[in-house]
Amino acid sequence: MRAAVLNAIGDETLDLRDDVTTVDPGPHEVRIRVRASGICHSDLSAMDGTLPALAPGVVGHEGAGEVLEIGSGVEHLAPGDHVTVSFVPPCGNCPSCLRGEPNLCPVHAIAAFSTPRFRLGDQPLFGYAGLGTFAEEVVVPAPGAIKVDPDVPFETAALVACGVLTGVGAVLNTARVEPGSTVVVLGCGGVGISVIQGARLAGASVIVAVDPVTGKHDIAKRFGATHATTPEGLEAVKQQVTSMEGFDYAFDVVGHPGTIRSAWDNARRGGSVVIVGAGRGDAMVQFSAQELFLHDKKILGSFYGSAHVHRDTGRMLKFWRAGLLDLDGMISKRLGFDDINTGLGLLREGSTDVIRQVVTIG
Ligand code: CXF
Ligand code: ZN
């Protein structure tokens, strides 16, 4: 089958091959025909070493498709079901799952680092984050396949699997933004736009979008931002909309020390600083011991939107059906399998017309 292979960490392009196979589904696993995959910034971060990943392997971690085959013991799925796939399949029994934090379930996430999901001849290939959705088929643990209604387009469903759960989840689950709040969002890619849409859904009265790429400002406004500015312009907008107090909620959706520090600086005393951006393990952020206590700000990490993937996937799609989340408008480019490297290149350049590119796999 076709798959986009990352031969080595540091490679700038993927090897588009047609001779990759999947492993066979074991007990409690399912084989899925991937029909659509989003291109997420974390795929680039896997390629350039920002985020941990194994090579050789197949990247892509935001996908949707159709169940082809179920292993023994799989009860909630049948061939033909439409599903999204999750990079954190919740095991249901570990302490994280039992305390209601399934996004932190380590069981399958850790196994993904020792269990190849594909083969290229005799060579085992890993699947990025346990998935590898830039392939025509994937084999995943059954709890990582989330059933969706068959009338949801695969491209729309795919977005929910990572970017939308991560961004909207950060607002609704992690921060629990209250109606009337003031919100600033640093970074207006696919996840940043999802944070903006989540803030609109939560009833925020002010949503300031910040991105150095000015071409993204009008896009951010289309999805609910009330103001949009470059990082240099943020101070003036803050003065204007919060009377210098700062924002109730500041979301970093970049993951750089500078943007995290800016989120802190722009939150009001007592406000919340929410870290959504996926940064490097060795990038350090500085806070003084005094400011940490004196300003009473809450620093909230948000991994996978603190989502309950089996609860929140359907919830996001209900918002979409109700017209409260514009998922289709987020798809700025529809690509074919052969265009994956072009799509990654556009994302790397911070292209103005890229919010989410979706690859139709088949
Ligand atoms: C990432 C987090 C690390 C694993 C892959 C997905 N989140 C969003 O892109
Ligand atoms: Zn992602």
Side-chain angles (χ1 to χ4, degrees):
M1 64 165 185
R2 305 190 83 189
V5 176
L6 174 65
N7 288 317
I9 304 297
D11 285 2
E12 295 215 335
T13 54
L14 301 173
D15 191 4
L16 305 184
R17 308 192 61 104
D18 57 12
D19 52 354
V20 174
T21 53
T22 68
V23 297
D24 288 328
H28 306 288
E29 291 185 339
V30 294
R31 184 197 296 281
I32 292 160
R33 173 81 173 99
V34 180
R35 300 292 298 275
S37 175
I39 299 183
C40 176
H41 210 281
S42 299
D43 296 312
L44 277 182
S45 297
M47 292 169 70
D48 70 15
T50 297
L51 291 175
L54 296 172
V58 178
V59 291
H61 64 279
E62 183 178 90
E66 213 168 317
V67 175
L68 288 180
E69 184 186 350
I70 57 171
S72 61
V74 176
E75 279 165 10
H76 76 291
L77 293 166
D81 283 350
H82 290 197
V83 294
T84 61
V85 289
S86 173
F87 53 88
V88 188
C91 80
N93 292 312
C94 71
S96 296
C97 286
L98 294 177
R99 70 166 71 92
E101 295 172 347
N103 61 314
L104 304 182
C105 176
V107 174
H108 297 291
I110 288 175
F113 279 88
S114 57
T115 321
R117 310 309 291 177
F118 303 92
R119 300 204 144 267
L120 180 58
D122 290 340
Q123 164 91 68
L125 301 176
F126 289 95
Y128 178 46
L131 294 173
T133 55
F134 295 162
E136 287 176 324
E137 293 179 14
V138 290
V139 171
V140 301
I146 296 97
K147 205 165 154 176
V148 296
D149 291 336
D151 65 323
V152 183
F154 290 112
E155 285 78 6
T156 308
L159 299 193
V160 176
C162 176
V164 170
L165 280 178
T166 299
V168 180
V171 175
L172 301 185
N173 298 327
T174 313
R176 297 178 173 272
V177 168
E178 296 189 341
S181 303
T182 57
V183 173
V184 61
V185 182
L186 302 162
C188 298
V191 179
I193 292 294
S194 298
V195 171
I196 289 167
Q197 292 212 64
R200 172 172 67 180
L201 185 57
S205 60
V206 169
I207 305 171
V208 178
V210 185
D211 200 293
V213 181
T214 52
K216 295 199 170 168
H217 293 174
D218 280 344
I219 296 170
K221 286 184 177 166
R222 207 163 69 222
F223 289 99
T226 57
H227 303 72
T229 179
T230 59
E232 296 72 34
L234 177 55
E235 188 61 26
V237 178
K238 179 173 83 172
Q239 286 195 28
Q240 180 201 334
V241 298
T242 75
S243 320
M244 268 326 273
E245 200 195 8
F247 295 87
D248 297 322
Y249 298 90
F251 290 84
D252 162 69
V253 200
V254 180
H256 290 170
T259 54
I260 293 172
R261 182 66 222 193
S262 173
W264 169 275
D265 290 333
N266 284 287
R268 67 166 169 80
R269 288 187 74 200
S272 296
V273 182
V274 191
I275 314 304
V276 185
R280 296 189 64 87
D282 58 1
M284 307 305 282
V285 191
Q286 282 200 326
F287 301 99
S288 82
Q290 189 173 77
E291 65 187 343
L292 283 172
F293 97 95
L294 193 63
H295 295 297
D296 196 354
K297 299 183 188 182
K298 284 79 185 164
I299 302 184
L300 304 173
S302 182
F303 180 70
Y304 207 0
S306 310
H308 293 218
V309 76
H310 286 275
R311 177 196 70 189
D312 291 344
T313 299
R315 199 169 158 220
M316 297 304 155
L317 289 169
K318 276 187 190 155
F319 291 142
W320 165 73
R321 281 187 200 282
L324 296 168
L325 275 185
D326 177 3
L327 303 186
D328 305 305
M330 283 175 65
I331 300 175
S332 54
K333 274 197 167 30
R334 290 168 192 270
L335 307 175
F337 187 86
D338 291 327
D339 306 317
I340 287 178
N341 282 312
T342 310
L344 287 164
L346 288 173
L347 192 58
R348 190 179 285 118
E349 288 160 16
S351 171
T352 49
D353 60 349
V354 168
I355 296 303
R356 214 40 154 199
Q357 302 172 96
V358 177
V359 184
T360 303
I361 306 269

